[in-house]
Amino acid sequence: MNKASELFERLTSIDEPPTKEEFESMLACREEMIPLLLSEIDCFIASPSDIEAAGQHYVRHTLSIFLLASFRVQAAYPKVIQLISIPGNQVIDLTGEVFSEALGRILASVYDGDLSPIQSVVEHEGLNPWIRAGALDSLMVLWKEDVLPRAEVIEYLKTLLDTKLEKKSGYIWDAVALIAYDLHPKELESQLLEAMKKKLVEPIVLNEVSLASCLSQPFQDAMKQKKNVLDGYIKNLTDELSWWLYPDRKLLQKGKDYESLDVPIVDKDVIPGERVAPMGWRSATVVRGSKKLGRNEPCLCGSGKKYKKCCLSRAL
């Protein structure tokens, strides 16, 4: 067995995850690893039930997706699209919060220049709403990484609001409103107001007052916040996956707003994919503060998710 095959086998179980050194070795033999990782995704696409039968500690399908994204392998793009387009919830159940939290960044990381597959997922009424919203998030990641201009993202949001979304309320409408808000939606004001009037967007997500407040900000000031809107490409694997793969740490690195908090790590015995960086906070841990919470900031309930994908979504 060659080195790449040995490292590929080390991706199998959450019980004995790869070390930082082994992840670095995978990067060093990237070209030999890529065909093995792609074959794992092919197996996942062909038979999600086989992945399910491998048991809750099997994680190679999930780690393969992250590795391909971190390697920026464009050949993975159509495969991830095919995977997330499988009807039903089996795929998202088998990847846990990997897709509900990181799908946008994964798709952007393997993007091959063709937006139509992402758009087909966003516009597919029959798919899981978190999958659709995650595909939409990829446009924001591509904007942040200077691959897509803001104008192109705005124009696509306009087509969604005008014609391409089903005319009934649902999380995909809320996801469009959230992204529009982050882009300072001066060109979309009439469409957003119409969506609010028809009760397609939940008021807690966006209402006339919050939209007016957003638009009252100078456009250039809003654009300066681009770096804070969301994370970019999938990059350092040990950073991305540390809370999920290595839950025995005593304390979490909680970010600049939470340095003083000692938050316990969740129990290690979890379903694969239940934790994805920066997951690992007990949802029962309540953290209070006077700071106004931005929709893209960590939720104060202590889940580790962004507010818009945690307590904000539960309130809808």
Side-chain angles (χ1 to χ4, degrees):
M1 185 180 295
N2 61 30
K3 182 65 173 178
S5 297
E6 291 176 2
L7 290 168
F8 184 63
E9 290 303 313
R10 289 287 293 119
L11 299 172
T12 303
S13 175
I14 198 172
D15 293 326
E16 297 181 33
T19 64
K20 178 180 179 179
E21 291 72 22
E22 285 173 319
F23 273 127
E24 290 172 351
S25 295
M26 291 176 199
L27 180 59
C29 58
R30 175 183 184 278
E31 296 306 317
E32 292 79 14
M33 290 289 299
I34 286 173
L36 300 173
L37 300 171
L38 290 172
S39 70
E40 179 74 11
I41 308 306
D42 286 335
C43 291
F44 193 6
I45 293 168
S47 183
S49 295
D50 286 349
I51 299 294
E52 187 172 17
Q56 66 176 12
H57 295 275
Y58 185 84
V59 292
R60 191 163 66 193
H61 60 304
T62 302
L63 292 181
S64 293
I65 292 168
F66 266 97
L67 277 161
L68 289 165
S70 70
F71 293 165
R72 306 282 301 282
V73 179
Q74 293 184 353
Y77 180 54
K79 297 180 187 295
V80 175
I81 292 289
Q82 188 176 354
L83 188 61
I84 62 179
S85 299
I86 294 174
N89 291 326
Q90 189 178 29
V91 167
I92 200 168
D93 289 342
L94 290 172
T95 52
E97 292 176 341
V98 168
F99 280 163
S100 65
E101 286 295 301
L103 177 57
R105 298 177 62 218
I106 289 168
L107 282 172
S109 297
V110 298
Y111 174 65
D112 67 2
D114 181 5
L115 277 180
S116 60
I118 290 173
Q119 293 169 340
S120 70
V121 172
V122 173
E123 297 163 25
H124 194 314
E125 184 178 353
L127 293 181
N128 182 288
W130 293 107
I131 292 290
R132 297 175 71 190
L136 194 58
D137 280 344
S138 70
L139 304 185
M140 290 292 281
V141 180
L142 291 168
W143 168 65
K144 175 169 182 169
E145 297 286 357
D146 297 320
V147 175
L148 292 181
R150 174 187 174 278
E152 187 170 352
V153 180
I154 286 286
E155 184 59 31
Y156 180 59
L157 294 182
K158 186 176 185 300
T159 66
L160 291 175
L161 291 165
D162 283 342
T163 61
K164 292 192 174 182
L165 287 185
E166 60 272 18
K167 299 302 180 182
K168 60 182 181 181
S169 62
Y171 187 68
I172 188 62
W173 280 93
D174 300 327
V176 170
L178 288 165
I179 287 178
Y181 183 97
D182 289 333
L183 286 168
H184 196 281
K186 58 181 182 179
E187 304 95 327
L188 303 174
E189 182 177 10
S190 62
Q191 287 86 357
L192 290 170
L193 288 171
E194 183 68 15
M196 294 175 207
K197 180 180 178 181
K198 293 180 177 179
K199 301 186 184 305
L200 296 171
V201 176
E202 288 287 345
I204 194 173
V205 172
L206 191 67
N207 54 56
E208 291 184 13
V209 174
S210 58
L211 177 59
S213 176
C214 174
L215 294 178
S216 70
Q217 301 174 43
F219 177 76
Q220 291 304 324
D221 287 354
M223 291 301 97
K224 289 176 184 176
Q225 299 303 312
K226 176 179 179 179
K227 64 180 183 301
N228 298 323
V229 168
L230 75 172
D231 295 323
Y233 293 137
I234 301 291
K235 297 184 177 78
N236 188 305
L237 262 295
T238 54
D239 288 345
E240 297 283 352
L241 301 169
S242 59
W243 315 128
W244 184 53
L245 292 177
Y246 315 118
D248 294 331
R249 293 187 179 187
K250 301 300 181 185
L251 298 176
L252 280 172
Q253 301 296 318
K254 296 168 285 293
K256 62 181 181 180
D257 294 323
Y258 304 101
E259 289 95 342
S260 62
L261 301 176
D262 289 350
V263 183
I265 298 297
V266 296
D267 297 331
K268 185 169 184 175
D269 190 13
V270 295
I271 296 171
E274 183 176 333
R275 296 192 207 96
V276 59
M279 309 290 22
W281 302 42
R282 290 188 187 276
S283 58
T285 302
V286 179
V287 181
R288 301 297 182 195
S290 59
K291 178 183 176 183
K292 182 179 179 182
L293 189 62
R295 60 191 73 230
N296 284 297
E297 295 180 43
C299 190
L300 292 183
C301 77
S303 68
K305 301 180 187 179
K306 290 181 179 179
Y307 176 53
K308 70 182 181 183
K309 289 194 174 179
C310 190
C311 287
L312 176 60
S313 67
R314 294 191 193 115
L316 304 182

